[in-house]
Amino acid sequence: MRRTTQQHEPDPIAQLYRGLDAEDTASAVSVILKLRGETCDIDCLYCYEKRKETPGGARIDAGQVRRLAELFQGRPLAVELHGGEPLTAGHDHVAEVLCELAAQPNVVRVSLQTNGVLLDAEWLDLFDDLYPGLDIGISLDGDAEGNAWRVGYDGTPVYPRVAAALRLLADRGRKTGVIAAVTPAVIGRAEAVLDHLAGFAAVNAVSFVPCFDTSVQQPTATPGRRLPASRQLQRAAVRGPGGPTWAISPDQYAEFVLAATVCWIRAGHFARLKLEPAVSTIRRLRGLDTGFCHFTNLKCDHVFTLYPDGRLGSCDELPWPHAQLTHLNQVTDQTEIVAAQRRLPLLNQGKALMERCTSCSYRPACGGGCVATRWRYDKAGEQDAYCDYRIRMIDGIAALLAQPAHPEGARCRTVRWRPRTPNTMRNVAAFLARWNSADVPRTPVRLHTSAHGNINTVGLPGVHEADDLDPAHPQWHAAIEPGVRPLLDAVNREWGLITYDSCQGHPYTGLDLAPAERRIGILPRDPDEYAQAAAALCRAVTAVGTALPSTTKVTVGRAELTCEATGRTTPVLDLSLLPAPGHGWPTFFETVEAATAVVADALRRQRPVAGRGCSCPVPQVAAPAAQGVSV
């Protein structure tokens, strides 16, 4: 059986939000250079940079770039040329900035985020000559319909010009990532939008970012008396009853991401195209690192924004001027920047928002999310909505990982991601082979029972080593704790499935041990069996309904079992009986036998069947808002 314990970290906040340490020069920082401030040659209706009403027209120069590199001397520096539109700075000016960046030894990566309208062969020649390793990112919200909000000042769509830039990049043998805003114009069309973007030969990465703009109430200020056609469109769109008509809800975004991930897997796009936030979610589910700050602890203290007038602040997604730290010419080294960060109320508030994450079981996979977005939802009293979307996305992607050929599992809201760390078995393949072969010799094992009912090799309470047995083993019945036998019988005999773990639950009265729930663990033989078992568990849990004692709740979790011999992981399913909200362990153990009988009966009635789904309804996708606005 598995060996599992709870791990406790000394500083949970640091696991979610690491402050910048001037002495720790190994961790990189990112600097966003607002090369022209908010100046741009197009006028996207949802542009957050223009809402800051920052001075435009000026340019960041090579001297400021040199000064920036000096401030972060000795530390890896990733630089992004951003805007507004950085290419509006002109060829000569961009050339000077690129030459300065190339001369700085601590600059390890330079990228350019552009709307693509000005991108042509002359620009690409310049990049090839001065900074061949420049990463180019294009802003494009999918197909022509999806780009309804990306218009010129005359109100006309810019999509055709951006599509032409993508074709030019392909002709030049260049690859690019696309940042696509998720608005009502793409809701319900994830497959069509991703297929369209994947159709551009130059695109090797797509990052879907949400327009969580329901709190936006005012149109962007316009200098002068004449109102451009784009601002007339924006004024009409910003007056929606639930906020601007380009805004979406967190739940809509979660469903869009899951639908896009299904398409990414089913269409085979994963072979040549990185999809975010799916890839970062997958990496965190696998226990791997990612460079996406929403999923790591290198958050706002490791992200800086520089404007042409010398203002240096934190992440550009945080509200300005609240996010401003200092002026480029007012600091001499990193210690002063660190001091400014620790004084800044906005950053302290953002870090404090991570407190609620420290006790969340989704923390290892989620990483706390985006501080700027959390801050906005906290101000609106809706932080739960943000957390719910993160949980929904993680649950759905965990399902797709376990059963990629059965994407309907991603819609299940009953079977949740509930990892147990560590969760290991000596040799998973050998255990599976032995379970399926009744004629293989079974060697005797050690069985001892503790005073609290635990059956393991040492006869002690708590989590201890236990041998991995199967029903054909002569000691199988003796190895199973009596209280959990009805659940095992339903799954082993009625369902014909393999169980890798079981526990009848233990109150541990008088001991310094946390009570243990009643549970069984299912080890599916393959993804198809996994999908059928997950759907059947959902149906069974839903079926118990009010028949379950009010003191008890039943949960189904997705987890992974690690093979100690190979290090490989296998998707597993865990069914647990726990105290219901408002009830403690004593009342739980008083009624757990009755609850077990109810659940076991539901399991017997809901056998896994190929092609039969779970009990959760298909998500209802809201119809996109009307896009036509007359000027």
Side-chain angles (χ1 to χ4, degrees), residues 34-37 39 55-64 86-94 96-97 306-310:
K34 297 290 185 180
L35 213 55
R36 291 293 310 281
T39 299
R59 310 175 191 182
I60 290 176
D61 58 37
Q64 290 173 304
L87 297 187
T88 60
H91 295 85
D92 293 343
H93 197 85
V94 171
E96 291 176 4
V97 169
L306 179 66
Y307 282 91
D309 60 1

Side-chain angles (χ1 to χ4, degrees), residues 54 104-105 119 121 130 164 171 185 193 216 263 282 300 360-361 393 399 416 471 498 518 547 549 552 587 602 631:
T54 53
Q104 299 302 325
L119 197 63
L130 300 181
D171 291 342
V193 168
V216 175
C263 172
I282 291 169
C300 302
C360 179
S361 63
M393 180 176 69
R416 313 286 291 276
I498 298 171
R518 181 162 293 186
T552 308
T587 54
V631 180

Side-chain angles (χ1 to χ4, degrees), residues 423-497:
N423 191 27
T424 69
M425 178 179 283
R426 288 193 194 95
N427 192 318
V428 174
F431 176 70
L432 287 169
R434 188 167 61 249
W435 189 290
N436 292 323
S437 303
D439 56 346
V440 174
R442 268 78 174 170
T443 58
V445 298
R446 297 167 295 164
L447 295 178
H448 299 282
T449 304
S450 78
H452 293 263
N454 308 81
I455 301 177
N456 50 47
T457 60
V458 292
L460 293 175
V463 179
H464 295 279
E465 185 176 1
D467 289 289
D468 303 315
L469 306 184
D470 60 274
H473 195 287
Q475 293 171 277
W476 165 261
H477 189 268
I480 303 302
E481 295 170 359
V484 77
R485 286 173 186 165
L487 300 178
L488 286 176
D489 286 345
V491 170
N492 296 148
R493 296 178 183 176
E494 301 292 332
W495 287 17
L497 298 186

